PDB file of all heavy atoms in Angstrom:
ATOM      1  N   VAL A  23       1.125   9.458  -2.666  1.00 95.00           N
ATOM      2  CA  VAL A  23       1.729   9.488  -1.362  1.00 95.00           C
ATOM      3  C   VAL A  23       0.611   9.241  -0.368  1.00 95.00           C
ATOM      4  O   VAL A  23      -0.483   9.882  -0.390  1.00 95.00           O
ATOM      5  CB  VAL A  23       2.343  10.842  -1.020  1.00 95.00           C
ATOM      6  CG1 VAL A  23       2.897  10.871   0.348  1.00 95.00           C
ATOM      7  CG2 VAL A  23       3.458  11.100  -2.035  1.00 95.00           C
ATOM      8  N   VAL A  24       0.811   8.276   0.593  1.00 93.00           N
ATOM      9  CA  VAL A  24      -0.166   7.925   1.587  1.00 93.00           C
ATOM     10  C   VAL A  24       0.468   7.862   3.032  1.00 93.00           C
ATOM     11  O   VAL A  24       1.629   7.688   3.092  1.00 93.00           O
ATOM     12  CB  VAL A  24      -0.870   6.539   1.252  1.00 93.00           C
ATOM     13  CG1 VAL A  24      -1.630   6.616  -0.029  1.00 93.00           C
ATOM     14  CG2 VAL A  24       0.080   5.423   1.365  1.00 93.00           C
ATOM     15  N   ASP A  26       0.826   5.907   6.112  1.00 88.00           N
ATOM     16  CA  ASP A  26       0.708   4.501   6.585  1.00 88.00           C
ATOM     17  C   ASP A  26       0.232   3.595   5.431  1.00 88.00           C
ATOM     18  O   ASP A  26      -0.469   4.035   4.517  1.00 88.00           O
ATOM     19  CB  ASP A  26      -0.215   4.397   7.827  1.00 88.00           C
ATOM     20  CG  ASP A  26      -0.014   3.102   8.561  1.00 88.00           C
ATOM     21  OD1 ASP A  26       1.076   2.504   8.480  1.00 88.00           O
ATOM     22  OD2 ASP A  26      -0.987   2.718   9.240  1.00 88.00           O
ATOM     23  N   ASN A  44      -3.831   0.915 -13.807  1.00 94.00           N
ATOM     24  CA  ASN A  44      -3.389   2.266 -13.971  1.00 94.00           C
ATOM     25  C   ASN A  44      -1.887   2.383 -14.326  1.00 94.00           C
ATOM     26  O   ASN A  44      -1.101   2.520 -13.346  1.00 94.00           O
ATOM     27  CB  ASN A  44      -3.793   3.126 -12.763  1.00 94.00           C
ATOM     28  CG  ASN A  44      -5.259   3.165 -12.619  1.00 94.00           C
ATOM     29  OD1 ASN A  44      -5.950   3.922 -13.275  1.00 94.00           O
ATOM     30  ND2 ASN A  44      -5.794   2.385 -11.646  1.00 94.00           N
ATOM     31  N   SER A  46      -0.203   4.729 -15.417  1.00 95.00           N
ATOM     32  CA  SER A  46       0.380   5.984 -15.053  1.00 95.00           C
ATOM     33  C   SER A  46       0.836   6.026 -13.614  1.00 95.00           C
ATOM     34  O   SER A  46       1.676   6.865 -13.218  1.00 95.00           O
ATOM     35  CB  SER A  46      -0.589   7.180 -15.373  1.00 95.00           C
ATOM     36  OG  SER A  46      -1.725   6.972 -14.529  1.00 95.00           O
ATOM     37  N   THR A  54       5.484   6.739   6.926  1.00 90.00           N
ATOM     38  CA  THR A  54       5.188   6.309   8.306  1.00 90.00           C
ATOM     39  C   THR A  54       6.102   7.023   9.314  1.00 90.00           C
ATOM     40  O   THR A  54       6.369   6.597  10.353  1.00 90.00           O
ATOM     41  CB  THR A  54       5.416   4.802   8.432  1.00 90.00           C
ATOM     42  OG1 THR A  54       6.794   4.502   8.068  1.00 90.00           O
ATOM     43  CG2 THR A  54       4.530   3.952   7.565  1.00 90.00           C
ATOM     44  N   LEU A  55       6.489   8.278   8.848  1.00 91.00           N
ATOM     45  CA  LEU A  55       7.370   9.082   9.738  1.00 91.00           C
ATOM     46  C   LEU A  55       6.754   9.296  11.185  1.00 91.00           C
ATOM     47  O   LEU A  55       7.539   9.248  12.208  1.00 91.00           O
ATOM     48  CB  LEU A  55       7.683  10.446   9.117  1.00 91.00           C
ATOM     49  CG  LEU A  55       8.649  10.396   7.898  1.00 91.00           C
ATOM     50  CD1 LEU A  55       8.725  11.689   7.278  1.00 91.00           C
ATOM     51  CD2 LEU A  55       9.985   9.963   8.438  1.00 91.00           C
ATOM     52  N   PRO A  56       5.465   9.543  11.326  1.00 87.00           N
ATOM     53  CA  PRO A  56       4.927   9.693  12.707  1.00 87.00           C
ATOM     54  C   PRO A  56       5.051   8.514  13.576  1.00 87.00           C
ATOM     55  O   PRO A  56       5.032   8.609  14.790  1.00 87.00           O
ATOM     56  CB  PRO A  56       3.481  10.135  12.435  1.00 87.00           C
ATOM     57  CG  PRO A  56       3.424  10.575  11.023  1.00 87.00           C
ATOM     58  CD  PRO A  56       4.460   9.815  10.281  1.00 87.00           C
ATOM     59  N   ASN A  59       9.601   6.886  11.855  1.00 92.00           N
ATOM     60  CA  ASN A  59      10.603   7.640  11.198  1.00 92.00           C
ATOM     61  C   ASN A  59      11.105   7.019   9.911  1.00 92.00           C
ATOM     62  O   ASN A  59      12.246   7.120   9.508  1.00 92.00           O
ATOM     63  CB  ASN A  59      11.822   7.922  12.120  1.00 92.00           C
ATOM     64  CG  ASN A  59      11.519   8.823  13.239  1.00 92.00           C
ATOM     65  OD1 ASN A  59      10.692   9.737  13.089  1.00 92.00           O
ATOM     66  ND2 ASN A  59      12.102   8.605  14.319  1.00 92.00           N
ATOM     67  N   LYS A  62       8.712   4.670   2.843  1.00 94.00           N
ATOM     68  CA  LYS A  62       8.981   3.539   1.980  1.00 94.00           C
ATOM     69  C   LYS A  62       8.512   3.861   0.570  1.00 94.00           C
ATOM     70  O   LYS A  62       7.331   4.338   0.413  1.00 94.00           O
ATOM     71  CB  LYS A  62       8.257   2.303   2.473  1.00 94.00           C
ATOM     72  CG  LYS A  62       8.505   1.075   1.638  1.00 94.00           C
ATOM     73  CD  LYS A  62       9.872   0.586   1.736  1.00 94.00           C
ATOM     74  CE  LYS A  62      10.003  -0.724   0.885  1.00 94.00           C
ATOM     75  NZ  LYS A  62      11.413  -1.077   0.742  1.00 94.00           N
ATOM     76  N   LYS A  68       7.783  -3.357  -9.258  1.00 95.00           N
ATOM     77  CA  LYS A  68       8.007  -4.226  -8.068  1.00 95.00           C
ATOM     78  C   LYS A  68       6.811  -4.741  -7.433  1.00 95.00           C
ATOM     79  O   LYS A  68       6.703  -5.844  -7.044  1.00 95.00           O
ATOM     80  CB  LYS A  68       8.942  -3.523  -7.103  1.00 95.00           C
ATOM     81  CG  LYS A  68       9.563  -4.417  -6.103  1.00 95.00           C
ATOM     82  CD  LYS A  68      10.658  -3.632  -5.345  1.00 95.00           C
ATOM     83  CE  LYS A  68      11.409  -4.613  -4.460  1.00 95.00           C
ATOM     84  NZ  LYS A  68      12.465  -4.050  -3.750  1.00 95.00           N
ATOM     85  N   THR A  75       6.009  -7.981  -1.938  1.00 89.00           N
ATOM     86  CA  THR A  75       5.919  -6.529  -1.706  1.00 89.00           C
ATOM     87  C   THR A  75       4.505  -6.131  -1.272  1.00 89.00           C
ATOM     88  O   THR A  75       4.394  -5.253  -0.425  1.00 89.00           O
ATOM     89  CB  THR A  75       6.428  -5.712  -2.960  1.00 89.00           C
ATOM     90  OG1 THR A  75       7.681  -6.219  -3.369  1.00 89.00           O
ATOM     91  CG2 THR A  75       6.503  -4.308  -2.709  1.00 89.00           C
ATOM     92  N   LEU A  76       3.552  -6.677  -1.878  1.00 88.00           N
ATOM     93  CA  LEU A  76       2.159  -6.297  -1.501  1.00 88.00           C
ATOM     94  C   LEU A  76       1.753  -6.684  -0.147  1.00 88.00           C
ATOM     95  O   LEU A  76       0.817  -6.116   0.409  1.00 88.00           O
ATOM     96  CB  LEU A  76       1.211  -6.990  -2.598  1.00 88.00           C
ATOM     97  CG  LEU A  76       1.231  -6.433  -4.008  1.00 88.00           C
ATOM     98  CD1 LEU A  76       0.466  -7.286  -4.934  1.00 88.00           C
ATOM     99  CD2 LEU A  76       0.698  -5.053  -4.014  1.00 88.00           C
ATOM    100  N   ASN A  88     -11.713 -10.403  23.404  1.00 50.00           N
ATOM    101  CA  ASN A  88     -12.479  -9.426  24.206  1.00 50.00           C
ATOM    102  C   ASN A  88     -13.294  -8.489  23.303  1.00 50.00           C
ATOM    103  O   ASN A  88     -13.861  -7.545  23.821  1.00 50.00           O
ATOM    104  CB  ASN A  88     -11.520  -8.575  25.101  1.00 50.00           C
ATOM    105  CG  ASN A  88     -10.835  -9.464  26.042  1.00 50.00           C
ATOM    106  OD1 ASN A  88     -11.362 -10.416  26.599  1.00 50.00           O
ATOM    107  ND2 ASN A  88      -9.578  -9.128  26.329  1.00 50.00           N
ATOM    108  N   CYS A  96       1.717  -3.258  10.413  1.00 57.00           N
ATOM    109  CA  CYS A  96       2.108  -3.293   9.066  1.00 57.00           C
ATOM    110  C   CYS A  96       3.608  -3.805   9.010  1.00 57.00           C
ATOM    111  O   CYS A  96       4.360  -3.404   9.843  1.00 57.00           O
ATOM    112  CB  CYS A  96       2.067  -1.838   8.437  1.00 57.00           C
ATOM    113  SG  CYS A  96       0.405  -1.337   8.179  1.00 57.00           S
TER     114      CYS A  96
END
Side-chain angles (χ1 to χ4, degrees):
V23 179
V24 296
D26 197 26
N44 296 283
S46 62
T54 58
L55 286 171
N59 290 326
K62 182 68 178 168
K68 195 168 187 177
T75 307
L76 290 169
N88 296 327
C96 290

